[in-house]
Amino acid sequence: MEGKGDGKGWLAVAVLVLALGGLADLLPDRFPAENDLEAGSERIGWGEALDADALARDIYLRVNDERAARGLPPLVWHEDLAAIARGWSEEMLTTGYRHSPASRRVHPDFVGVGENILMGPRDAGEAHVSWMESDGHRDNLLHAGYTAIGIGVVCRNDGHLWATQLLGVPDGVVVPHPRGTAVEPLVRRDPGPACTPRPWWQAWRS
């Protein structure tokens, strides 16, 4: 008669549910909540350097656009500073968000090296605007004494970026540090290139 079963169907479903539950215990955790930017970063992992080079270069162009709008000379891209910045972004991602020690920023081309750091945005435009709307970071980017910059971006596998800017002052340059530089004109607010999230199973295998 219809409507009556022998219970085998329900038993099969129960076994399947239990099996899937056990399998879930063997799989890696999903990415944490977006606002939990430090926790689990080492487990989440990050992409290759080439994945984030476009973001670093795009941010560099944005910085010089802001300087040009204020009559300041452009900063020269410095490969060594960029490599140091990239390394620090990777270290922050796995060990915690903080400025690098001064010894980490020593370079023979410069008498001093300033630093901006950032975590959380997903694209170059958001990162740039975040720095420009922060008084201390903006003062660094608009400092007339800096002549060179290197930027290192790391794209975490869930699409959030971690970034470091290192700005170099050559020997013999003495320029008062600007304070209270105006946010406007902020000439670049367009999104630009973004970090591409990778599926959690790909991130787990990397």
Side-chain angles (χ1 to χ4, degrees):
M1 295 177 59
E2 292 184 1
K4 293 185 178 180
D6 57 7
K8 291 182 180 179
W10 288 108
L11 179 61
V13 171
V15 170
L16 180 61
V17 169
L18 289 173
L20 289 176
L23 179 60
D25 292 337
L26 300 177
L27 295 174
D29 294 338
R30 301 299 179 93
F31 294 137
E34 290 188 2
N35 61 354
D36 195 5
L37 293 171
E38 289 191 74
S41 288
E42 185 171 8
R43 173 176 50 78
I44 292 170
W46 63 92
E48 297 295 328
L50 290 177
D51 295 341
D53 278 353
L55 281 82
R57 290 286 185 166
D58 187 82
I59 293 170
Y60 165 66
L61 296 176
R62 292 167 188 269
V63 170
N64 277 339
D65 286 345
E66 304 296 347
R67 290 174 66 93
R70 294 162 174 80
L72 295 169
L75 297 172
V76 176
W77 179 266
H78 196 280
E79 287 291 351
D80 287 355
L81 292 183
I84 297 170
R86 164 78 190 192
W88 185 248
S89 294
E90 290 182 357
E91 185 162 334
M92 281 197 301
L93 192 150
T94 58
T95 62
Y97 182 72
R98 67 200 184 283
H99 280 285
S100 65
S103 59
R104 183 79 174 250
R105 290 177 255 141
V106 174
H107 193 281
D109 290 351
F110 308 104
V111 70
V113 177
E115 179 178 73
N116 288 339
I117 59 175
L118 182 71
M119 68 172 177
R122 293 181 178 272
D123 61 65
E126 184 183 356
H128 172 69
V129 171
S130 295
W131 268 320
M132 285 297 295
E133 290 184 341
S134 169
D135 294 343
H137 298 107
R138 183 175 64 257
D139 286 348
N140 279 340
L141 295 175
L142 301 181
H143 193 316
Y146 290 126
T147 62
I149 189 172
I151 304 172
V153 175
V154 176
C155 283
R156 201 170 73 166
N157 285 332
D158 65 352
H160 290 288
L161 67 83
W162 294 57
T164 304
Q165 294 175 326
L166 294 180
L167 303 104
V169 180
D171 193 13
V173 174
V174 179
V175 179
H177 199 293
R179 295 296 177 190
T181 52
V183 176
E184 300 299 339
L186 206 170
V187 298
R188 294 293 304 274
R189 291 182 179 272
D190 52 297
C195 288
T196 303
R198 296 200 291 169
W200 63 269
W201 58 87
Q202 286 186 11
W204 183 48
R205 292 199 303 266
S206 62

